[in-house]
Amino acid sequence: MPIQPLGADGSVPFDDASARRWTDRTLLVVIAVAALLLAALVAGFVIVNGHDAKGDATAPRSTTPATTQDGRDLSQVSNDEMETVVAANPDVVPMRLALVERYLVAADQEQGIDGKKTQLERARFHAGEAAARATTTADQARALRYLGWTTALLTDPAKGAGLVEQSLVKEPGNPDALWFLATIRFDKLNDAAAAKPLLEELLATPVDDAQRQAVQTKLDKVNAALMGAPTNS
């Protein structure tokens, strides 16, 4: 039953047709306001100094905060809000990539296999959409390495490795892509020889102490595997 506006004396003076017109007008206003808020969120969404999150707890990880262009802390924008924006604006690639990163982090934090898989599938969906829609080399490379990583974890390591390789063609030497590809080759494809030069290249890039330790630990396992020793992975 529609809510009818009250008269000055508290009565309900309008007939049903009048009430419908009133509620219709209100609905239009609500829709217009929502559209404006949505447009503002899209327009304001620019990651400032953002960096790639990882879908692996041992991978190098940036702690640089991200904000929207209007100064809103991105951590205060919910996944549901962002999903609503990309559903209405499919070509907002940076927001899709931010969602991918959130879902990868959530997958890291999930304890159950089903929950982890769900988060990775969400990440892969948006990575695929981003890869198909990206117009800049940086976004294309970022989308491809996420798509490759999630594909390798979920279904097809060889195909995933190929996608990460494509990302490295677009952005040679990217630390995230090097880590993803080395991990896929060693952990998923059992190819220690192919993983070794990637990890050595990664160690030659500027990384912090924690990241360097993670890479060195992986390289030690690779070298052990090449020598025929157990890796205890």
Side-chain angles (χ1 to χ4, degrees), residues 61-230:
R61 185 185 302 272
S62 172
T63 58
T64 304
T67 61
T68 60
Q69 193 173 24
D70 59 4
R72 184 179 179 187
D73 184 348
L74 188 58
S75 67
Q76 302 305 309
V77 181
S78 71
N79 288 2
D80 288 343
E81 283 182 276
M82 294 167 70
E83 288 281 8
T84 298
V85 171
V86 297
N89 304 270
D91 294 327
V92 183
V93 170
M95 188 171 288
R96 283 193 185 277
L97 292 173
L99 270 172
V100 172
E101 293 172 357
R102 285 188 175 194
Y103 291 138
L104 288 178
V105 171
D108 267 355
Q109 297 170 347
E110 283 283 352
Q111 299 300 313
I113 294 176
D114 289 342
K116 187 179 293 290
K117 181 180 178 183
T118 296
Q119 299 296 344
L120 289 173
E121 287 173 340
R122 290 171 178 167
R124 181 170 64 169
F125 169 76
H126 284 296
E129 290 293 310
R133 299 171 185 278
T135 58
T136 69
T137 300
D139 283 348
Q140 290 168 354
R142 192 168 156 210
L144 283 169
R145 61 179 170 262
Y146 287 152
L147 182 59
W149 178 239
T150 52
T151 297
L153 293 178
L154 287 168
T155 57
D156 191 336
K159 182 178 180 181
L163 290 166
V164 179
E165 287 170 349
Q166 290 179 41
S167 78
L168 277 168
V169 171
K170 293 181 177 295
E171 199 169 87
N174 178 271
D176 297 326
L178 291 172
W179 174 261
F180 288 157
L181 188 55
T183 302
I184 294 168
R185 285 180 173 171
F186 181 59
D187 293 345
K188 300 294 184 180
L189 299 175
N190 300 311
D191 191 347
K196 180 180 172 70
L198 297 169
L199 294 169
E200 290 174 339
E201 182 179 351
L202 189 50
L203 282 176
T205 64
V207 292
D208 65 32
D209 291 342
Q211 294 169 337
R212 185 170 299 279
Q213 182 59 52
V215 176
Q216 185 62 59
T217 298
K218 180 76 72 176
L219 182 57
D220 290 343
K221 292 180 180 181
V222 166
N223 286 329
L226 290 172
M227 296 177 65

